[in-house]
Amino acid sequence: MARQRQQLDRLLADSASTYGAPYQQAFAELAEAHRGRPVAEILPLLRRAADDALLGFTDADLREQAQAISTGEPYVLRVKVA
């Protein structure tokens, strides 16, 4: 289990990784283009990006991310491995 977690940490830290890169790119683009916009406008865009990247974020996760984009606050992407 620790080895899997270590591998995932390395994968997520590797910005060239193909797994998380599409979502990271989409998030960065949304953050730049939608700063100051309402959370309700950002949420469906984040949901589409997460679905496209096959990431199973909860609604609460996406709402937190959308809030950060809306307010322009820095956001650190967290992934929980179960």
Side-chain angles (χ1 to χ4, degrees), residues 2 5 8 13-14 19 27 33 35 37 40 42 44-45 47-48 55 57 64-67 71 73-74 80-82:
R5 200 167 275 163
L8 181 61
D14 180 6
Y19 182 74
F27 183 90
R35 182 173 289 126
R37 305 298 304 164
I42 300 166
L45 303 173
R47 170 56 68 199
R48 187 175 321 127
L55 297 173
F57 289 119
E64 183 179 297
Q65 293 174 31
Q67 182 66 36
T71 62
E73 293 179 30
K80 186 184 286 187
V81 178

Side-chain angles (χ1 to χ4, degrees), residues 35-81:
R35 182 173 289 126
R37 305 298 304 164
V39 169
E41 181 180 312
I42 300 166
L43 270 172
L45 303 173
L46 285 174
R47 170 56 68 199
R48 187 175 321 127
D51 289 348
D52 288 349
L54 303 175
L55 297 173
F57 289 119
T58 66
D59 290 337
D61 293 332
L62 292 174
R63 182 167 294 284
E64 183 179 297
Q65 293 174 31
Q67 182 66 36
I69 289 172
S70 179
T71 62
E73 293 179 30
Y75 185 83
V76 177
L77 183 63
R78 295 178 307 275
V79 176
K80 186 184 286 187
V81 178

